[in-house]
Amino acid sequence: MADSGLKMGLKYIPYFGGMLKIGLDIGTGFVKCVSDHGRFRFPSLYVRRFHGEWATKPTESVGNRALAFLYSSGASACTPITRGRPDTRYARQVDLLISEAISMVRTAAGRQADSETRIVAGLPYEGIDCRDAILRQVRRSAKTKKCDVVPQAAGTLIGMNRKDGIVVSIGQGTTEIVAIDNNQVIDGESSRWSSEFITRKIGRYAHLDVGLLNKRAAMCKKYAKVLAENLSREIRDMSARHGDSYSLALSGGGLLIPGVREALEASLEGLHISVPPDPVMSNAVGLYKLAG
């Protein structure tokens, strides 16, 4: 409901100093990171691996390195982010994901680990209970106190240079439906109707393989209709609560699953809909602008 989420005013003030600015979207499926020095995206994945009979210690990795070892002998894997929130069982693994993102940016920027950094991270609308924990983790991993946490879906609207609208961001763990008026988050919910509903029908880690999803396009399209039917009800309910006065902005990696965008647009016929140029990175783009 409107009183249960992360609520705050959102301002974008251009900054042209030497500070390293980062927008960080730590999702269930992927970590997305945007900075002055590039955009980065890697799986929200942790793998612990034994090398075999001669090994004395296991090795561990996150992101793309973890993906390379996912199906190798002796590997065990976990996704440290559940429904868009850090899983309390995997606090250290979440730290590794955050550190990986910041390290990528600093490497691209040629900066040292102690360089001045400002970060804005995103959480699901209903993730207010995780806000302090994420703040501590990001500050610790980045060695900076210049950090804030906001509803991640707000990044899409900011990235589109808009002040008003209802953002529908379809992620792997949740679909964020957030209403924003004059840069103020006024309502929202984190729906369980997310892209995981489709990808889990194909395999636990199917969301990490776009080629596999395209090969199973017929199955994806079948379940995309079910997803769209249920999700559109929640979207229309929120739109109606606000007099159908806001246009919709659709974003998130779920839009790239075969059939999802088409089915959702058909289910939302009659409402004004727009999609950012890069729906996968759109939340992180706006969070980066906020970091300015």
Side-chain angles (χ1 to χ4, degrees), residues 259-273:
V260 168
R261 178 171 175 175
E262 294 81 3
L264 192 55
E265 289 178 338
S267 297
L268 295 171
E269 186 178 3
L271 297 178
H272 183 269
I273 296 172

Side-chain angles (χ1 to χ4, degrees), residues 60 117 128 202:
E60 60 181 4
T117 305
I128 185 66
I202 299 172

Side-chain angles (χ1 to χ4, degrees), residues 17 23 82 103 107 128 130 148 151 228 233 243 251 273 281:
T82 303
S103 176
T107 298
I128 185 66
C130 300
D148 201 1
R233 291 196 192 103
S251 67
I273 296 172
M281 299 296 291

Side-chain angles (χ1 to χ4, degrees), residues 170-175 192-209 212-214 216-231 253-264:
I170 307 173
Q172 177 67 9
T174 67
T175 290
R192 290 181 176 271
W193 288 100
S194 61
S195 61
E196 184 178 46
F197 170 74
I198 300 172
T199 61
R200 281 276 185 167
K201 302 292 191 299
I202 299 172
R204 182 181 178 186
Y205 297 111
H207 63 284
L208 301 176
D209 188 345
L212 176 60
L213 295 178
N214 287 328
R216 306 296 296 274
M219 178 179 286
C220 287
K221 290 177 181 179
K222 172 185 175 181
Y223 288 107
K225 292 180 180 178
V226 179
L227 172 71
E229 180 181 347
N230 287 278
L231 190 55
L255 288 181
L256 302 187
I257 297 175
V260 168
R261 178 171 175 175
E262 294 81 3
L264 192 55

Side-chain angles (χ1 to χ4, degrees), residues 11-14 153-165 167 180 182-183 247 249 274 276-277 282 285-290:
K11 292 184 178 180
Y12 165 41
I13 302 174
T156 286
L157 211 61
I158 293 166
M160 297 172 73
N161 297 315
R162 288 170 50 184
K163 295 183 178 181
D164 310 282
V167 179
I180 297 174
N182 195 26
N183 286 333
S247 60
S274 58
S282 61
V285 169
L287 297 176
Y288 162 69
K289 285 190 173 185
L290 280 177

